[in-house]
Amino acid sequence: MSVVDGKEPSVKELRIIGFLCNWCSYGGADTAGVSRFSQPTDLRIIRVPCSGRVTPLFVVKALMSGADGVLVSGCHPRDCHYSEGNLYARRRLEVLKRFLPTLGIEPERFEYIWVSASEGERWQTSVTAFTERIHALGPSPAVKVNRYDARLVAGGL
Amino acid sequence: MSTIDLLREAIRAKLPDLDMVLAWGGDDPLRASPLFIRTESDLENLAAPHLYVSNLAVNLYSLRSKKIGLVVKGCDSRSVIQLLKEGLIARPSLYIFGLPCEGVVDAAKINREIPDAGRATGLAVRSGRVMVQTPENEHILDLDAVLADRCLRCRYPNPLIYDQLIGEAIPVGEIPDLYQDLDEFEALSLDARHDFWMETMRRCVRCYACRNACPLCVCKAHCVADSREPHWLTLETNVSQKWFFQVLHSMHLAGRCTECGECERACPMGLPILLMRRKLNREIRELFGYEAGLDLMTTPPLSTFSIEEENIAEREL
């Protein structure tokens, strides 16, 4: 994991996709940045209007396309800018989290959390903890799918 | 009167008020195909109840502008309820003949049991036994041995919605679905499960028969699997595309699927794809205490929320 603190990255960076809602979590990440908290750089942020915009298929597509981890973050329940988007999201994402192990994908590769725009520190600790978790798991098995496909194309299967 | 005669008379009586009645018919003694009854003479082609395999609710959405009569088994009735509940079809344009069902036979299983089943000339079911007539022999099989898989765990043999019940309701006790198949699968290691789907999806020919047979897949020509914008799936026939399609189909059915099993039955490769849907159903039942297609009043769990979720823990990192 590499950390923005002027030092050389010690471990190879992994690819983590973050779906952040425009109103809370994107602001929270911004707050963390403005406060100059050091954060791992493995996360690629995709800003969405609301966590309710995140269909579970975004997560699956990311994981199957080679993302090593996916983090969805939205406003705290009751605080959604659109009043209820995150409450729908919570149900869908919980169902997805329970579905992943049956597909043979580690459910730990996916997480959803709530971070408000003022919680820069919470953002920093969450993203650090999640990045550490993904590094402990190592690169995604989706790589295996692609290898499988490659063998298929080469006529090995 | 036998069930088939009762059904024939019931349809005959209602036919003048309806554009058509959907039932099952054909000449094959082991399988029936959907029968669209428009005139009284079509009634002659009605098949026997143990062949009523397919779920005719799949036709309702595209025929929603017509006045339709429909014969349903217990499992089919759940699809009808789900379609009504989601506002995809309207109750007044529907007349439902409810048929208590003792289970339907799986022609593939009969073919495995009897080598000359391909030349069968007749099939009859009496008190738990199936008699298959071939030119040379009469084979007798246990009904349980040739019932479709979903019938073996059937909990709703009687239709849950109907305008008219054909014959007597079958007495049933409380039958729990223990999800034994799923437990066995989940006992495998994560890698083994992953490899299982790789191997399963390798055999998929991406014909979308599973989608087309699904009574709740109502997007038809607007399915995201065929869409270029957004471009969810490419035309590559690799495992990741095919696997993703199955997950997509399953997720779009989460909280809606009634486990009628048509996806798996329609699959020309015999892939065990119902397993994914069953997994989601079990989780939805545990999380929200909800089962699809049982009543008209409740809202599908993923179309609603509660501010305090009883069974979802607050997530922290």
Side-chain angles (χ1 to χ4, degrees):
Chain A
M1 175 185 14
S2 50
V3 172
V4 189
D5 55 5
K7 278 181 246 156
E8 281 292 301
S10 48
V11 189
K12 191 178 176 293
E13 202 168 84
L14 291 180
R15 231 178 289 178
I16 303 174
I17 309 295
F19 292 100
L20 272 57
C21 89
N22 179 47
W23 302 99
C24 292
S25 297
Y26 196 85
D30 198 33
T31 307
V34 169
S35 314
R36 306 189 75 80
F37 294 146
S38 72
Q39 290 172 53
T41 55
D42 306 42
L43 189 83
R44 274 91 161 146
I45 294 175
I46 297 173
R47 180 161 60 156
V48 290
C50 175
S51 52
R53 172 68 183 90
V54 180
T55 132
L57 295 172
F58 283 0
V59 179
V60 177
K61 180 86 178 170
L63 288 172
M64 286 186 178
S65 307
D68 302 302
V70 178
L71 181 67
V72 176
S73 185
C75 307
H76 286 275
R78 294 173 194 270
D79 283 350
C80 177
H81 184 77
Y82 307 101
S83 356
E84 52 198 33
N86 55 359
L87 301 173
Y88 286 107
R90 177 166 61 183
R91 285 198 161 192
R92 290 179 204 145
L93 297 174
E94 180 67 24
V95 169
L96 173 70
K97 189 143 176 79
R98 289 161 175 247
F99 186 38
L100 289 179
T102 304
L103 295 175
I105 298 173
E106 293 107 327
E108 296 82 12
R109 290 194 184 277
F110 161 63
E111 196 55 84
Y112 64 96
I113 51 166
W114 317 120
V115 175
S116 85
S118 60
E119 294 176 320
E121 207 174 331
R122 179 179 158 84
W123 173 256
Q124 183 209 20
T125 47
S126 301
V127 77
T128 308
F130 188 64
T131 309
E132 277 167 7
R133 188 207 277 182
I134 300 301
H135 273 271
L137 287 167
S140 151
V143 175
K144 223 162 96 184
V145 185
N146 297 334
R147 212 180 292 143
Y148 201 97
D149 283 338
R151 262 156 67 207
L152 209 62
V153 171
L157 282 168
Chain B
M1 258 204 301
S2 65
T3 315
I4 183 166
D5 293 329
L6 286 171
L7 179 61
R8 193 178 282 125
E9 289 321 306
I11 297 176
R12 196 191 305 278
K14 288 302 290 185
L15 199 54
D17 308 333
L18 302 166
D19 289 331
M20 66 180 94
V21 176
L22 308 188
W24 299 265
D27 305 324
D28 190 326
L30 300 187
R31 318 170 179 75
S33 42
L35 179 68
F36 293 71
I37 302 167
R38 293 185 185 82
T39 61
E40 284 208 17
S41 62
D42 293 334
L43 281 168
E44 301 311 312
N45 295 326
L46 202 62
H50 289 92
L51 303 180
Y52 295 176
V53 174
S54 61
N55 183 348
L56 299 174
V58 71
N59 301 295
L60 291 181
Y61 182 71
S62 50
L63 293 172
R64 65 194 180 284
S65 59
K66 300 240 189 300
K67 180 98 174 120
I68 296 290
L70 177 76
V71 187
V72 297
K73 315 183 285 292
C75 47
D76 307 342
S77 74
R78 293 180 63 193
S79 305
V80 175
I81 289 176
Q82 196 61 28
L83 287 166
L84 286 167
K85 172 149 71 178
E86 295 179 17
L88 295 164
I89 52 173
R91 187 71 180 89
S93 60
L94 200 59
Y95 189 88
I96 305 171
F97 302 91
L99 194 74
C101 171
E102 295 172 340
V104 294
V105 297
D106 182 339
K109 286 190 185 176
I110 296 179
N111 274 317
R112 272 199 296 274
E113 297 282 334
I114 306 172
D116 56 343
R119 296 191 293 137
T121 53
L123 176 141
V125 178
R126 260 189 302 277
S127 49
R129 289 270 193 283
V130 182
M131 263 81 57
V132 181
Q133 191 70 48
T134 58
E136 288 86 25
N137 300 304
E138 191 186 46
H139 302 273
I140 298 179
L141 303 167
D142 263 341
L143 181 57
D144 281 350
V146 294
L147 277 183
D149 284 344
R150 60 191 154 142
C151 300
L152 297 173
R153 53 172 180 256
C154 175
R155 291 178 301 141
Y156 302 99
N158 297 308
L160 302 176
I161 188 172
Y162 54 81
D163 294 297
Q164 186 181 349
L165 196 64
I166 309 298
E168 300 284 316
I170 297 169
V172 269
E174 189 69 16
I175 314 162
D177 188 342
L178 298 173
Y179 285 100
Q180 220 172 357
D181 50 343
L182 197 54
D183 281 339
E184 280 168 24
F185 181 66
E186 292 190 335
L188 299 172
S189 73
L190 197 79
D191 277 343
R193 277 175 262 160
H194 191 271
D195 292 346
F196 171 84
W197 290 118
M198 292 297 94
E199 198 45 45
T200 303
M201 288 305 131
R202 185 174 72 81
R203 290 166 53 213
C204 170
V205 293
R206 207 171 161 185
C207 62
Y208 293 147
C210 46
R211 177 190 73 182
N212 299 344
C214 178
L216 292 170
C217 266
V218 289
C219 301
K220 307 289 173 195
H222 305 287
C223 177
V224 290
D226 299 326
S227 145
R228 288 278 169 96
E229 186 61 49
H231 203 179
W232 277 102
L233 287 164
T234 72
L235 292 173
E236 292 162 289
T237 53
N238 55 26
V239 169
S240 39
Q241 298 295 317
K242 296 187 280 193
W243 197 30
F244 184 72
F245 173 73
Q246 286 305 325
V247 176
L248 185 149
H249 189 223
S250 307
M251 288 305 303
H252 282 176
L253 288 167
R256 306 171 64 223
C257 174
T258 62
E259 288 180 35
C260 71
E262 285 294 275
C263 47
E264 194 165 296
R265 191 183 66 79
C267 179
M269 303 304 286
L271 304 180
I273 48 179
L274 187 61
L275 196 64
M276 279 193 197
R277 284 83 177 154
R278 276 169 65 72
K279 164 69 179 173
L280 283 168
N281 272 358
R282 184 170 73 175
E283 295 308 324
I284 295 229
R285 197 192 296 184
E286 275 175 20
L287 279 170
F288 311 114
Y290 177 91
E291 248 183 288
L294 295 188
D295 65 87
L296 283 168
M297 299 317 289
T298 49
T299 315
L302 295 189
S303 306
T304 181
F305 59 85
S306 18
I307 292 173
E308 300 293 338
E309 293 287 358
E310 248 174 75
N311 299 321
I312 303 180
E314 194 58 29
R315 300 215 72 91
E316 288 292 337
L317 266 168

